[in-house]
Amino acid sequence: MIAERLTAAREKVGLSQSEVARRIGATQAAISYFEQGLKIPSVPVLLNLARLYNVSMDYLVGNDGAQSD
């Protein structure tokens, strides 16, 4: 769920993976791994992404009260 939410949030704000990486001080490869679900971002990285995307950390990790099937 985190991977899908990260991708959707990034696309909603219209940023490339490279631009996100530059803005939060990560590599484009790291952003790609997060969005593919190959790696889980650390809490500080999640906080930076949430701030950049203007969403909550709870939303990014799927803990926003939404029902999942």
Side-chain angles (χ1 to χ4, degrees), residues 14-51:
L15 296 174
S16 68
Q17 289 181 347
S18 296
E19 183 65 14
V20 169
R22 187 186 67 75
R23 290 189 185 196
I24 70 164
T27 65
Q28 185 274 326
I31 303 303
S32 177
Y33 291 151
F34 301 151
E35 291 188 5
Q36 292 177 64
L38 299 175
K39 292 189 176 186
I40 302 297
S42 66
V43 171
V45 170
L46 274 173
L47 181 59
N48 287 336
L49 291 168
R51 287 178 177 157

